[in-house]
Amino acid sequence: MATPTYTLIDSTVLGSSASSVTFSSISQDYRDLVLVVELVSTNTSFAALRFNSDSGSNYSNVWMQGDGSTASSSSQTTTYIRGFSSAARTNPIMATFQIMDYSATDKHKSTLTRSLDPGLSTPVDKTVAYAGRWASTSAITQIDVVAISNSYDVGSTFYLYGIEA
Amino acid sequence: MSLILLGILNSQAAAAGGAAAYDLLETQVLTSSASSVTFTGLGSYTDYKHLQIRAVWAPTGSSNVGMRIRLNGDTGSNYFHHQLWGQSSSVSSQGFSNRSYWQISEGVQGVGWDSNVFSPTVIDLLDFSSTSKNTTGKFFLGGLNNVIGSPHITLSSGGWNNTNALTSIEIFCNGTLAAKSRFSLMGVK
């Protein structure tokens, strides 16, 4: 029996600048989440995800990127799931996060992300693919989208979808 | 300032109108290790144009293996695929033709390293019921549990030199799929 899914759980459009956006009390009725973020930021900011308010160094990221002339890859263990980083700019930047098995309690949480990532130093627009892992078996009940430094500007959008799977 | 969104509900689910276009069809969660996972009877899903498989998986043991896909049980040399992956500081690419399966990634390390670590994967199979053109797929995989080398991120795509409509999809690896691995088949209209 087919089950319609890809359900919009919640969304917001910033009417004033904010240093973070929090989705809390997330329903456990789904298996995966998709978070679509498009940011306007006239100052340095990140699209960084933290789960269940965990700000410890429990997140690992690996990514590859290309800017039209060169391609590179890197990885890090840090305090957030990485979506992009950007210096101040007028054009929006975006990331789509696939958060897999978020409600499971028998495995670490993993993510797949595609983004436009200008970067912080000598910013150049790049297309980036990320994979991330939160080293916790807890079900995700809260997601903080954190700017890390500075804030997101008016007009930034955040859409959270649930997928039964 | 922090904007807090409380009371997450499904109230906006159908607000946009129109028929649902993305459905869960089947899910298989391994309760014990298995050599493969197969979705069969795809001919009953012709209401859909495309298929997507959302997987969170790992092999058993601790050695590196790659995820593989075979269509309609075809073991002939009828598959080609290309991979683009980032690992350590470099991005690499490779391609293969005349293979007997799609290999959508190289080295994903097994739960022998860490039984909690599974690799996320999204597989898209396009126009799967067409009988007028060969079948194509694209793949997105994070090899998170790889410590023999290092974690990697892989984008890949492939073609199956056959115009038959898909009737089955077999997912396997050059090892054994670990318990707790999950594979969900989604239909896209």
Side-chain angles (χ1 to χ4, degrees):
Chain A
M1 179 67 180
T3 304
T5 188
Y6 216 122
T7 303
L8 178 63
I9 294 176
D10 213 334
S11 65
T12 191
V13 178
L14 289 186
S16 59
S17 62
S19 60
S20 66
V21 169
T22 297
F23 295 93
S24 62
S25 304
I26 296 173
S27 167
Q28 300 297 295
D29 292 343
Y30 306 96
R31 195 183 293 269
D32 300 332
L33 297 172
V34 177
L35 177 62
V36 180
V37 175
E38 188 175 54
L39 295 180
V40 179
S41 183
T42 53
N43 51 54
T44 300
S45 62
F46 290 73
L49 302 189
R50 286 185 176 137
F51 302 132
N52 295 4
S53 302
D54 180 6
S55 58
S57 298
N58 299 313
Y59 304 83
S60 56
N61 300 277
V62 57
W63 66 93
M64 64 177 171
Q65 59 190 23
D67 64 6
S69 60
T70 61
S72 62
S73 177
S74 190
S75 61
Q76 66 174 174
T77 297
T78 186
T79 59
Y80 52 83
I81 292 293
R82 183 177 172 128
F84 57 71
S85 55
S86 177
R89 59 184 282 135
T90 54
N91 289 325
I93 41 186
M94 56 71 63
T96 300
F97 300 88
Q98 306 270 347
I99 304 167
M100 310 293 279
D101 265 354
Y102 80 98
S103 57
T105 57
D106 61 357
K107 54 175 72 84
H108 291 174
K109 305 306 169 293
S110 57
T111 62
L112 291 170
T113 304
R114 290 294 312 276
S115 75
L116 162 63
D117 186 337
L120 295 175
S121 58
T122 58
V124 175
D125 285 356
K126 297 177 284 288
T127 186
V128 189
Y130 293 93
R133 176 169 66 94
W134 179 42
S136 172
T137 58
S138 298
I140 294 172
T141 58
Q142 178 172 311
I143 299 173
D144 296 295
V145 188
V146 183
I148 302 295
S149 58
N150 297 309
S151 60
Y152 305 133
D153 288 344
V154 172
S156 297
T157 57
F158 306 81
Y159 294 87
L160 182 66
Y161 301 88
I163 295 179
E164 294 184 53
Chain B
M1 170 186 173
S2 180
L3 180 65
I4 308 295
L5 303 176
L6 296 171
I8 305 296
L9 299 171
N10 297 335
S11 56
Q12 301 172 67
Y22 185 83
D23 294 347
L24 168 63
L25 304 178
E26 304 174 41
T27 290
Q28 298 188 38
V29 180
L30 296 182
T31 55
S32 60
S33 61
S35 58
S36 66
V37 166
T38 303
F39 293 102
T40 60
L42 303 184
S44 63
Y45 295 134
T46 54
D47 286 350
Y48 300 90
K49 196 67 174 173
H50 314 293
L51 297 176
Q52 182 177 84
I53 296 171
R54 305 178 64 87
V56 181
W57 71 284
T60 59
S62 58
S63 59
N64 288 332
V65 304
M67 175 183 269
R68 297 173 174 178
I69 293 175
R70 193 168 275 150
L71 305 174
N72 290 12
D74 179 12
T75 58
S77 301
N78 299 315
Y79 302 80
F80 62 90
H81 58 258
H82 296 81
Q83 301 169 352
L84 175 69
W85 76 94
Q87 188 172 32
S88 298
S89 60
S90 61
V91 177
S92 306
S93 178
Q94 64 181 357
F96 298 93
S97 59
N98 301 317
R99 300 197 95 176
S100 59
Y101 48 79
W102 281 332
Q103 180 143 341
I104 72 171
S105 78
E106 304 297 333
V108 173
Q109 194 165 23
V111 295
W113 170 56
D114 185 329
S115 61
N116 290 312
V117 180
F118 290 73
S119 290
T121 305
V122 177
I123 298 163
D124 289 295
L125 299 165
L126 309 180
D127 207 1
F128 75 102
S129 59
S130 170
T131 57
S132 62
K133 57 182 182 291
N134 295 342
T135 297
T136 56
K138 65 182 178 72
F139 322 110
F140 188 12
L141 180 147
L144 297 178
N145 46 355
N146 189 314
V147 293
I148 291 176
S150 58
H152 65 84
I153 177 79
T154 298
L155 291 169
S156 54
S157 59
W160 179 44
N161 293 321
N162 192 308
T163 58
N164 288 341
L166 292 193
T167 56
S168 70
I169 304 166
E170 179 186 14
I171 301 168
F172 60 109
C173 63
N174 48 329
T176 303
L177 300 172
K180 300 195 292 186
S181 295
R182 184 265 294 188
F183 304 85
S184 300
L185 179 66
M186 321 298 290
V188 183
K189 290 183 178 173

